[in-house]
Amino acid sequence: MAGDMVNGIDGKAAVAAGMDPDRLGALVDHLDRTYLASGKLPHMQLLLSRDEDVLLSVVRGQARASGEPLQADALYRIASMTKPITSVAFMMLVEAGKVALDTPVTDVIPEFADLRVGQANRARPKRPMLMIDLLRHTSGLTYGLQRQTPIDARYRKLGLDEFQQKRTSDQFIADLATLPLEFSPGDKWNYSVSTDVLGVVVERLSRLDLETYFRTHILDPLGMVDTTFMLPDEKAHRMTDAWRLDEGGGISIADIGVRSGWRRTGRFLSGGGGLVSSVEDYHRFARMLLRGGELDGVRLLAPETVTQMRSNQLPGGGDLSSMSSAMFSEADYQGVGFGLGFAMGMESQEYYWGGVFSTYFWIDPVERLIGLFMTQHLPSSTYPVRAELRAGVSGAIVTRRPR
């Protein structure tokens, strides 16, 4: 097998990188058989690199309900994989001295000055909400999709976590400020609109809209030419359809690529979930993180900042199982910490995040591995694909690096 492209695997490169190509092939076969052949997922694109060399590049399935095959340059709704990019944008402003992790959020978002805690909307928070709370989801904010409390229900009524909100950033903050917090900042962890608020912080500090800030300071410098909030007409043919799980276990269309809502202008630029991207683009972003903030001679962040971002920042060094009040997130909880923008394994040191359309990435800074999995299936909690991916790749490592 070595030296031949079989099943999307460069066997020679895999062996040279200390990976077992046959085990990688078994992983791909499992995904093909279990998810694509069965019709559970419409398509998949999987990329794996070690030391930034691509060892595996698989493109399978149909991009559209009409049957067109998925292409390597396909564009995907990456949803919450937007959050790490927004977090990097904020940390660039920290390094520029414009804000700090312990800056009160009200310094930039004064609309939050009178926030209360709890359904009765009367109790004052025990302490101010800080910027670090937005980064690590300890702010007391929530998502309507959590479906646990009356406060969640009020988020749903206002549509505060909808993909196509017809709000300005200021209107989003104004509506959010009418609702109470679930808990005092720092008391718990709850997956939430925190990163959307962080995106507004970036806009106000930079005096640029989020699309312009991202394009100028992150996307263009990294050569991420296909990552955007608004899908341009000339790229609409590359946008996949998106499917959702039916009650009967089948899948049906949720968003048609060529007529996607991501082509609409005049909507809120969601720092928590608004971007469209490609595998190639997001691999460049992940390589920048793996290299400690630099890619191809362009430095976005200092190595110390990236280390801080991928280290557990939960109060008291706890894990999500001890701090979480969330019904839903893009991570497991046991032994999982949270840094400044993504979850991290407290033993493995891997850091990762995903999106509700079942997109996913992970980085192992010790083994120098990057994994990217793209598909378009709602919700992301349906199948254990992410755990299977990481276990399969880990099992294919022949030469391990000391931790």
Side-chain angles (χ1 to χ4, degrees):
M1 181 175 181
D4 299 318
M5 286 297 295
V6 177
N7 222 9
I9 299 164
D10 186 331
K12 184 176 181 180
V15 170
M19 305 287 290
D20 184 333
D22 293 320
R23 291 187 179 183
L24 292 176
L27 172 61
V28 173
D29 289 344
H30 166 74
L31 296 172
D32 265 337
R33 182 177 60 255
T34 305
Y35 297 108
L36 268 69
S38 66
K40 292 179 178 177
L41 294 179
H43 55 248
M44 69 173 180
Q45 188 169 354
L46 173 61
L47 182 145
L48 177 71
S49 66
R50 192 174 199 189
D51 296 318
E52 302 179 61
D53 293 326
V54 175
L55 313 179
L56 183 155
S57 180
V58 171
V59 182
R60 299 276 197 279
Q62 61 182 45
R64 304 189 186 284
S66 50
E68 292 96 324
L70 187 69
Q71 302 295 326
D73 67 349
L75 298 177
Y76 302 91
R77 306 150 191 83
I78 63 170
S80 289
M81 279 171 61
T82 304
K83 289 179 170 69
I85 297 177
T86 303
S87 301
V88 164
F90 177 83
M91 295 306 291
M92 292 174 74
L93 293 171
V94 171
E95 288 195 351
K98 295 182 180 296
V99 68
L101 293 176
D102 60 357
T103 298
V105 174
T106 53
D107 282 10
V108 183
I109 311 285
E111 296 95 322
F112 282 5
D114 293 322
L115 287 180
R116 299 295 195 268
V117 178
Q119 183 180 345
N121 203 10
R122 293 176 183 171
R124 289 191 173 274
K126 298 174 189 175
R127 68 155 173 82
M129 184 192 302
L130 307 178
M131 295 298 177
I132 191 173
D133 292 313
L134 297 177
L135 285 153
R136 67 187 182 187
H137 294 280
T138 55
S139 64
L141 299 168
T142 189
Y143 264 137
L145 57 80
Q146 296 292 0
R147 296 183 178 272
Q148 296 187 90
T149 71
I151 299 174
D152 297 336
R154 293 169 71 180
Y155 272 62
R156 291 196 299 279
K157 185 176 181 179
L158 289 174
L160 288 170
D161 40 313
E162 292 176 1
F163 288 116
Q164 312 298 338
Q165 297 180 45
K166 293 182 179 179
R167 286 180 168 96
T168 65
S169 297
D170 289 347
Q171 288 169 341
F172 173 79
I173 294 296
D175 287 343
L176 190 58
T178 66
L179 303 179
L181 300 174
E182 293 277 12
F183 51 84
S184 286
D187 279 4
K188 296 180 182 179
W189 184 91
N190 189 51
Y191 194 40
S192 70
V193 298
S194 289
T195 319
D196 289 293
V197 176
L198 195 71
V200 179
V201 169
V202 170
E203 290 187 329
R204 292 187 178 184
L205 289 173
S206 68
R207 300 184 180 181
L208 299 171
D209 67 79
L210 210 53
E211 172 83 42
T212 303
Y213 186 89
F214 281 5
R215 178 63 51 204
T216 304
H217 295 277
I218 298 174
L219 304 178
D220 282 351
L222 292 183
M224 296 172 65
V225 296
D226 290 323
T227 303
T228 181
F229 284 101
M230 301 294 179
L231 178 67
D233 290 344
E234 66 271 17
K235 294 183 180 180
H237 66 285
R238 294 167 53 192
M239 182 76 149
T240 63
D241 289 351
W243 284 257
R244 65 163 52 92
L245 183 70
D246 292 332
E247 289 185 6
I251 57 175
S252 60
I253 289 291
D255 187 55
I256 297 174
V258 293
R259 300 200 300 271
S260 175
W262 273 259
R263 298 183 69 179
R264 299 180 194 136
T265 58
R267 58 183 174 82
F268 177 55
L269 302 180
S270 168
L275 287 175
V276 169
S277 191
S278 65
V279 165
E280 182 176 350
D281 269 17
Y282 214 90
H283 188 234
R284 292 189 65 79
F285 178 73
R287 287 174 60 205
M288 178 274 296
L289 292 172
L290 181 66
R291 293 167 63 98
E294 175 273 333
L295 182 67
D296 295 341
V298 174
R299 179 163 293 283
L300 301 190
L301 294 171
E304 297 79 10
T305 300
V306 175
T307 299
Q308 185 181 27
M309 293 182 73
R310 63 177 177 83
S311 301
N312 187 24
Q313 299 291 336
L314 293 179
D319 67 358
L320 295 184
S321 67
S322 65
M323 289 205 64
S324 176
S325 62
M327 179 73 71
F328 170 82
S329 84
E330 300 292 346
D332 296 325
Y333 291 169
Q334 191 69 41
V336 176
F338 207 88
L340 305 178
F342 19 67
M344 46 83 61
M346 295 173 73
E347 290 189 11
S348 70
Q349 299 181 47
E350 292 178 340
Y351 53 107
Y352 55 90
W353 204 241
V356 74
F357 288 97
S358 302
T359 60
Y360 184 62
F361 85 102
W362 79 100
I363 299 173
D364 187 328
V366 177
E367 300 295 351
R368 307 285 297 172
L369 287 165
I370 296 170
L372 278 163
F373 181 80
M374 297 287 199
T375 190
Q376 299 282 261
H377 177 280
L378 287 162
S380 57
S381 56
T382 308
Y383 306 117
V385 182
R386 296 169 177 180
E388 293 169 353
L389 282 166
R390 287 166 60 194
V393 169
S394 179
I397 299 174
V398 176
T399 306
R400 293 189 175 273
R401 281 87 186 265
R403 293 191 178 267

